[in-house]
Amino acid sequence: MKDREESSGSSRSTNNPNGEDEPREINIRPFSSVPSSPRNASSKYDFVKVKVWLGDADHYYVLSRFLVCRMLTVTKIPNHVAVKISLELKKLLIDNSLLDVSQSDLETSLFKLMERRGYGEEYINRYNMMTKFHHQRVPLVILVCGTACVGKSTIATQLAQRLNLPNVLHTDMVYELLRTATDAPLTSTPVWTREFGSSEELITEFCRECRIVRKGLAGDLKKAMKDGKPIIIEGRHLDPSIYLMNDENKAPSNDPNKSSKEPNSSEDVTSDKNPEAGSSNTKETDNNPTKPPHSQAEAMTSVEQVSEKVTQCKIDGVCAAETSKEAEKKRKSADGSGKAKSGPEPIVISIVLKMAEFDHKALLEEWISSRTSGDKYTSKEKDRLITNLKTIEDYLCSFNSQGVTVVNISATTFPQTLDWLHNYLLQRIEEGIRSSENEKPK
């Protein structure tokens, strides 16, 4: 400990006559002095360890250029620039013999380097916001919904990389595990390939399977809520109504009818901020001449009350009861007084992806031909599959009126859409942090 104080004191500060410590001046050199090797991302500076001390406690971590680069990427700094800034930071500290540095001093040096490259206050605020988000361990659940071949996996993977989120769950895998490992009433034939008497029957069956998959995700969702670990869930078996937050217990609601009556409090920024998901999304879903979205939801609920009451009770009832009970326990204070215990409010963000009908149909036909052999699917069966997927897509897009963001995906504008989603998620995370801070007792 004594050695640490001596080395830390000699490298971080100098003593003035009054006995107070003054921060050591750091000499920031021009960017041209930083060596770069396009063939090898490593540097001689990687062989020197820099200890970063956290606050007044005796805890430190070893500075990692990779982790600094990832945090800079979260703020929307391009990856190649983030790599250079992280190397400049490491070189700056080592050249100034700062092998022991505080977290605040490290961030001060980092922010100066960011500003010199043109990434000033806006990016620094994002960095501080995401740092606070990780320190407060705010639960974050991002749902990427949509039908087949609309880019769900690609979007989820890219967003996880950009936001430095480690966990991505795929409902297709959960569906197969439940189907083969349990006695859950699931079939090997996808719901969108089957023949139904009406659109309401199709939506009813689709929602039933989504609730079964929701039960399979219960453990991961509970862990995310308890430990504050961010998670992205993507797949074809995601019904936004199941994951809309209930204001009474702050737990995912499993009642589609109830969720339609209690709109989600999240702000719908699709119409005025998303260049790819304009107000046309709402018009397309609301003006459907054959099956209006709300009539589908109401018909779906009425059918469920009769035909699937037992299944819903077995699958949903237990899960919802357990979730509400656990949420109730978490609110109890440690002294048993029964008062609500303050904590970060979970952030649940639902995104529905859709594609232009012509482009989507072309991708679906290619997907069908690659997954089947010979004449397994007739022309009539292909048409039925495409029609069923369109019906499911209309149902998912109907939640646009409840605050769920609907995003149009196109191959020509994919990078712009990805940038918009990155910025949108940062805004929603910032709103969630502010809401959590405002609800804390003073």
Side-chain angles (χ1 to χ4, degrees):
M1 182 66 186
K2 185 176 180 180
D3 295 337
R4 175 231 152 176
E5 292 176 352
E6 291 177 357
S7 62
S8 176
S10 62
S11 59
R12 283 190 287 177
S13 63
T14 56
N15 294 330
N16 60 17
N18 297 329
E20 299 178 352
D21 291 341
E22 294 180 353
R24 181 171 179 173
E25 183 178 357
I26 299 177
N27 181 23
I28 300 181
R29 300 180 181 179
F31 299 136
S32 59
S33 63
V34 179
S36 60
S37 175
R39 295 184 179 180
N40 192 352
S42 63
S43 167
K44 64 180 182 179
Y45 293 97
D46 292 336
F47 297 96
V48 181
K49 292 184 178 180
V50 176
K51 295 181 180 179
V52 183
W53 296 89
L54 301 173
D56 298 329
D58 297 331
H59 299 285
Y60 71 88
Y61 65 91
V62 177
L63 179 64
S64 167
R65 286 200 299 122
F66 173 76
L67 295 180
V68 173
C69 180
R70 293 296 297 270
M71 280 298 295
L72 294 177
T73 305
V74 173
T75 66
K76 299 192 69 177
I77 294 179
N79 183 70
H80 68 281
V81 179
V83 171
K84 292 180 180 179
I85 293 177
S86 61
L87 178 57
E88 289 167 5
L89 177 65
K90 188 77 176 285
K91 183 180 186 301
L92 178 68
L93 297 175
I94 295 175
D95 288 349
N96 287 274
S97 301
L98 295 175
L99 303 184
D100 284 82
V101 63
S102 67
Q103 179 70 27
S104 59
D105 291 341
L106 173 73
E107 292 179 350
T108 300
S109 301
L110 176 61
F111 296 158
K112 288 181 179 179
L113 293 174
M114 291 169 59
E115 289 176 342
R116 292 192 62 177
R117 283 195 171 268
Y119 300 96
E121 183 179 358
E122 180 182 359
Y123 295 86
I124 293 173
N125 290 338
R126 289 174 185 162
Y127 183 96
N128 291 329
M129 183 266 294
M130 291 303 297
T131 300
K132 183 185 298 185
F133 166 74
H134 289 294
H135 285 174
Q136 293 181 356
R137 305 184 74 85
V138 180
L140 172 66
V141 179
I142 301 174
L143 305 173
V144 183
C145 315
T147 58
C149 299
V150 293
K152 299 181 301 300
S153 299
T154 304
I155 288 289
T157 303
Q158 292 288 332
L159 290 177
Q161 183 177 358
R162 283 175 171 239
L163 295 172
N164 197 21
L165 304 179
N167 301 318
V168 179
L169 290 181
H170 308 276
T171 61
D172 292 351
M173 298 178 61
V174 176
Y175 182 94
E176 289 299 318
L177 287 174
L178 291 174
R179 184 181 65 83
T180 57
T182 68
D183 57 351
L186 297 173
T187 64
S188 58
T189 306
V191 63
W192 42 86
T193 62
R194 304 175 212 160
E195 186 173 0
F196 295 92
S198 63
S199 299
E200 287 78 8
E201 292 182 8
L202 168 62
I203 297 301
T204 298
E205 179 64 14
F206 170 74
C207 294
R208 185 187 70 85
E209 292 188 353
C210 288
R211 289 195 299 272
I212 297 175
V213 173
R214 165 63 179 84
K215 183 181 179 182
L217 294 171
D220 296 285
L221 287 172
K222 290 176 183 177
K223 187 172 182 62
M225 296 295 178
K226 179 181 178 182
D227 300 338
K229 291 185 178 181
I231 186 174
I232 298 180
I233 305 176
E234 68 86 16
R236 292 169 287 184
H237 287 88
L238 286 178
D239 181 1
S241 67
I242 303 176
Y243 300 86
L244 292 177
M245 300 302 290
N246 188 325
D247 292 336
E248 294 180 359
N249 55 17
K250 295 300 180 183
S253 172
N254 289 334
D255 189 349
N257 192 31
K258 186 175 182 179
S259 64
S260 64
K261 295 180 181 179
E262 299 179 5
N264 187 282
S265 60
S266 59
E267 181 182 2
D268 180 15
V269 299
T270 307
S271 59
D272 56 353
K273 294 183 180 180
N274 183 4
E276 307 303 326
S279 59
S280 60
N281 293 328
T282 307
K283 294 180 180 179
E284 290 174 2
T285 54
D286 290 346
N287 296 335
N288 189 341
T290 56
K291 298 293 179 183
H294 293 290
S295 64
Q296 285 186 3
E298 293 172 359
M300 174 199 68
T301 306
S302 62
V303 174
E304 285 180 348
Q305 292 176 352
V306 178
S307 64
E308 298 183 333
K309 185 175 180 181
V310 177
T311 304
Q312 182 175 353
C313 291
K314 289 182 178 179
I315 296 172
D316 275 342
V318 177
C319 182
E322 291 176 353
T323 306
S324 60
K325 287 181 180 179
E326 291 192 358
E328 197 69 33
K329 291 180 181 179
K330 290 179 182 178
R331 290 194 188 87
K332 302 298 181 180
S333 58
D335 58 358
S337 61
K339 296 182 179 180
K341 185 170 65 174
S342 61
E345 295 293 340
I347 304 172
V348 180
I349 306 173
S350 299
I351 301 170
V352 175
L353 304 183
K354 63 176 297 187
M355 187 177 292
E357 186 173 354
F358 178 81
D359 295 336
H360 195 198
K361 185 176 180 180
L363 289 175
L364 284 174
E365 290 179 349
E366 182 180 352
W367 174 64
I368 292 171
S369 61
S370 64
R371 285 177 167 262
T372 59
S373 57
D375 297 328
K376 185 177 180 181
Y377 276 3
T378 64
S379 177
K380 182 179 179 180
E381 291 172 336
K382 289 181 181 180
D383 292 340
R384 183 176 67 230
L385 183 149
I386 294 174
T387 302
N388 287 345
L389 289 176
K390 177 61 177 175
T391 302
I392 295 175
E393 182 181 82
D394 290 342
Y395 168 75
L396 296 176
C397 292
S398 69
F399 290 96
N400 177 259
S401 61
Q402 300 183 42
V404 175
T405 301
V406 178
V407 181
N408 283 323
I409 301 296
S410 173
T412 57
T413 59
F414 185 83
Q416 293 85 345
T417 303
L418 190 60
D419 287 338
W420 183 88
L421 283 172
H422 186 173
N423 189 65
Y424 170 65
L425 292 177
L426 289 176
Q427 291 178 0
R428 291 295 305 275
I429 292 173
E430 184 176 8
E431 291 172 2
I433 294 176
R434 289 179 179 176
S435 176
S436 178
E437 292 176 345
N438 293 335
E439 293 183 2
K440 286 183 179 180
K442 297 182 180 179

